[in-house]
Amino acid sequence: MSEKGSNLRHIRIFDTTLRDGEQSPGASMNVDEKVKLAKQLARLGVDVIEAGFAISSQGDFDAIRRVGAEVEGPIIASLARAKEPDIKRAWEALRDIPKKRIHTFHSTSDIHLKYQFRVDRKEALRRSVEMVKLAKSLVDDVEFSPMDATRTEPAYLAEVVEAVIEAGAGTVNIPDTVGYTIPAEFEKLIKYLVDNVPNIKRTVISVHCHNDLGLAVANSLAAVLAGAGQIECTINGIGERAGNCSLEEVVMALRTRKDLFGADTNIRTEEITRTSRLVTKITGISVQPNKAIVGANAFAHESGIHQDGLLKEKSTYEIIRPESIGLHSTKLVLGKHSGRHAFKSRLADLGFELAEGELEQAFENFKRLADQKKDIYEEDLEMLVSEGLSKAPEIYGLAGLSISSGMGQKPSATVRLSMENKEVEETATGDGPVDAAYRAIAHITGTKSSLNRYEVKGITGGTDALGEVTVILEEDGRVVRGHGADTDIITASAKAYVNALNKMAAARPRTGGNPI
Ligand code: KIV
Ligand code: ZN
């Protein structure tokens, strides 16, 4: 956290994982998942959570309301185009939330105004000012974004920024919507606004960078050097196309080089690893192994020279301590004989607060796992708890599975599913045991969905490790993710498929769609 009493400038972290992050292909989250993630973002210490785009769908509207009702600490924001119905819908979603912000935007680049909006600069300015005034009449805290700012003529951008500040925008966000700028140019643009907008001191300058050229973090940091006081970012850098500025990278750059930036954030960096894993779990989007800060190899030193230096003195090759981002060497935490009390207190140490019913369920799963696996690690506990996240109303339950496979033998699977108070059994053969089990399940359920992705990974090392399977199914344009974990990967695979089929059955069509 920024040191109290220090003269480091405080940089606000505006997290948009739930809004811009959700615009990653295949990353849509349900309301329960958004609330769970928002609670973790609050634990991480972000200043603002953009919980959705209220007018875009009933799901986004509900998510904003529930995040506001259940998450304490950060300001909760809703996005709204510079249009009256959008602002009013954002207000309806936010009205009962104590710390709320309307974030409204209008494009300002000639290319957008001419081809997309078909209005001139004067009209774009008029609409922006009018909608900031409308938002300000409803809430105290208003943010305005001139979309595609980095391709907007700087003098016109300065005119818009000055006018929206005058209209009441307490934060003005400068988006690099298409990820076009580079650090030196962006730093110059922010400096130009600082020097040429007479009322700039009455607002916080924010930046929102996309990663199309791989420069979102570098551009955001350059903007801080020029005076920006808020960074918009997402966990793991997820987002539209190549994604957004990655929260963990930008925060750790500021923390590690606060000598250079003279600035820091309120982020509790020890929560970074857990937050990153939760986002992967919920969205099904894995992090590349060599990704800075949260990639599996980010702290792995292979070269002999580096290992030699590290053994002598860590600072020779390590600029960030793994523990500072909450990355600990795999720790044995519980075993078969651990009781409910130890289980509960270990979960509390890990930062999980479960309701009584959830705790019961997690403890039951733990006992079942402890029968299969001698040592239970932190990662296993995280998995047990987050399994509850993937729960959908159970239409199908996996009641039995047996496999026959071996070298030179056609794999076959017999699957028993419970459905509507009866059990149905089916045997099928396939190219492998998973394929056979999936064919049997598809036959029993009569699903028409296609399997878009199947991914399996080990949660910890060792041959007794839990295997975690993620699948993505698609049917009539609807996409759902399923998860399953078990020490037997065929069982984990069947659980993941059944979980996804339950979600597919429960999924209601989203109304409206995303208007941007
Ligand atoms: O990238 C962008 O310009 C946005 C705005 C809505 C801020 O996401
Ligand atoms: Zn964006």
Side-chain angles (χ1 to χ4, degrees):
M1 277 207 242
S2 327
E3 291 149 38
K4 287 236 162 62
S6 75
N7 42 23
L8 294 174
R9 202 157 60 85
H10 171 56
I11 305 297
R12 297 175 194 200
I13 294 297
F14 176 116
D15 183 278
T16 183
T17 310
L18 299 179
R19 199 278 298 170
D20 224 350
E22 206 208 13
Q23 286 174 221
S24 310
S28 69
M29 310 173 210
N30 66 34
V31 177
D32 286 338
E33 289 168 337
K34 286 189 178 178
V35 172
K36 204 86 171 181
L37 181 51
K39 287 185 178 168
Q40 180 56 31
L41 292 171
R43 224 175 278 139
L44 179 66
V46 306
D47 300 278
V48 186
I49 294 176
E50 188 163 55
F53 187 177
I55 204 166
S56 71
S57 70
Q58 188 60 39
D60 266 39
F61 183 87
D62 295 342
I64 295 165
R65 282 180 70 83
R66 275 199 49 207
V67 167
E70 296 181 38
V71 178
E72 252 176 72
I75 295 167
I76 308 301
S78 169
L79 189 66
R81 288 169 300 188
K83 290 181 169 197
E84 199 172 316
D86 281 46
I87 308 255
K88 292 202 164 146
R89 191 72 176 144
W91 159 241
E92 280 168 36
L94 293 167
R95 68 194 320 161
D96 299 328
I97 302 172
K99 287 164 75 179
K100 46 183 165 287
R101 173 178 295 184
I102 293 179
H103 174 196
T104 185
F105 68 98
H106 197 295
S107 283
T108 48
S109 66
D110 287 338
I111 200 162
H112 280 202
L113 297 186
K114 179 168 174 203
Y115 295 109
Q116 192 183 5
F117 291 86
R118 298 177 199 279
V119 296
D120 60 14
R121 288 181 179 186
K122 208 165 143 215
E123 175 59 10
L125 178 68
R126 189 195 64 75
R127 288 182 186 177
S128 303
V129 167
E130 203 174 302
M131 289 305 118
V132 168
K133 283 188 180 157
L134 173 64
K136 188 73 183 174
S137 70
L138 300 167
V139 295
D140 273 348
D141 189 347
V142 176
E143 172 169 332
F144 177 79
S145 292
M147 190 155 85
D148 205 19
T150 51
R151 292 193 300 169
T152 301
E153 193 214 7
Y156 174 61
L157 182 65
E159 194 184 332
V160 174
V161 170
E162 182 181 352
V164 295
I165 297 172
E166 212 43 54
T171 305
V172 177
N173 180 42
I174 308 299
D176 184 26
T177 304
V178 291
Y180 178 70
T181 196
I182 64 163
E185 181 186 60
F186 200 43
E187 184 176 350
K188 204 164 129 205
L189 178 65
I190 302 298
K191 184 90 180 50
Y192 173 82
L193 295 174
V194 169
D195 293 340
N196 291 282
V197 174
N199 53 4
I200 198 80
K201 289 223 154 57
R202 285 170 30 203
T203 201
V204 173
I205 303 177
S206 172
V207 287
H208 175 113
C209 297
H210 279 271
N211 206 30
D212 300 66
L213 294 174
L215 293 170
V217 171
N219 287 334
S220 306
L221 292 170
V224 167
L225 291 175
Q230 175 177 286
I231 296 174
E232 302 198 353
C233 44
T234 61
I235 303 294
N236 298 342
I238 65 168
E240 185 102 41
R241 308 182 308 278
N244 288 59
C245 170
S246 137
L247 180 147
E248 58 282 0
E249 291 179 22
V250 85
V251 162
M252 289 314 289
L254 288 170
R255 182 70 45 93
T256 308
R257 297 307 313 275
K258 53 183 181 228
D259 59 318
L260 189 134
F261 289 103
D264 200 2
T265 69
N266 273 346
I267 294 298
R268 286 182 275 276
T269 58
E270 299 74 18
E271 294 290 336
I272 283 179
T273 299
R274 182 174 309 141
T275 317
S276 162
R277 285 183 186 158
L278 185 60
V279 168
T280 297
K281 160 123 255 154
I282 290 176
T283 60
I285 301 175
S286 308
V287 164
Q288 77 200 51
N290 60 325
K291 180 176 182 313
I293 316 297
V294 291
N297 295 345
F299 294 90
H301 296 266
E302 282 288 320
S303 111
I305 296 177
H306 288 204
Q307 289 175 352
D308 175 59
L310 279 166
L311 287 171
K312 290 175 176 146
E313 163 57 43
K314 285 231 157 82
S315 60
T316 49
Y317 290 96
E318 197 173 83
I319 59 163
I320 299 168
R321 281 179 311 107
E323 310 83 69
S324 69
I325 57 149
L327 186 65
H328 304 282
S329 42
T330 305
K331 264 203 246 145
L332 174 66
V333 285
L334 293 169
K336 190 180 172 112
H337 302 293
S338 308
R340 190 182 314 264
H341 187 71
F343 178 70
K344 188 176 174 183
S345 87
R346 205 65 198 90
L347 287 185
D349 291 349
L350 291 171
F352 294 116
E353 299 155 24
L354 299 190
E356 207 38 57
E358 291 174 323
L359 184 73
E360 273 313 305
Q361 183 61 56
F363 187 65
E364 241 176 64
N365 294 345
F366 160 70
K367 281 292 179 191
R368 209 170 305 128
L369 179 62
D371 275 339
Q372 297 168 335
K373 186 174 188 293
K374 196 162 123 272
D375 303 324
I376 310 279
Y377 297 92
E378 248 177 50
E379 290 87 337
D380 296 323
L381 285 188
E382 278 176 10
M383 171 59 58
L384 284 178
V385 172
S386 51
E387 274 242 282
L389 273 176
S390 329
K391 280 266 169 298
E394 282 225 337
I395 292 162
Y396 311 112
L398 184 65
L401 170 68
S402 69
I403 295 292
S404 149
S405 78
M407 273 175 80
Q409 197 186 320
K410 181 87 180 158
S412 93
T414 301
V415 177
R416 199 158 14 93
L417 291 190
S418 58
M419 44 201 278
E420 293 162 5
N421 304 324
K422 59 175 196 256
E423 287 193 352
V424 183
E425 192 171 283
E426 189 73 48
T427 299
T429 55
D431 289 340
V434 174
D435 188 43
Y438 277 30
R439 283 172 191 268
I441 294 170
H443 199 257
I444 297 173
T445 58
T447 180
K448 301 270 175 299
S449 57
S450 59
L451 179 66
N452 286 2
R453 189 168 356 140
Y454 169 86
E455 210 175 86
V456 58
K457 61 178 189 235
I459 302 300
T460 53
T463 48
D464 71 343
L466 269 181
E468 185 198 11
V469 174
T470 303
V471 296
I472 295 188
L473 299 187
E474 185 171 354
E475 188 180 313
D476 294 334
R478 207 169 304 153
V479 176
V480 297
R481 276 180 315 279
H483 295 285
D486 201 279
T487 47
D488 175 332
I489 56 163
I490 315 295
T491 305
S493 304
K495 283 183 178 174
Y497 192 28
V498 170
N499 176 239
L501 290 171
N502 279 324
K503 283 186 170 174
M504 188 62 91
R508 274 172 282 125
R510 281 161 67 103
T511 53
N514 201 334
I516 55 168

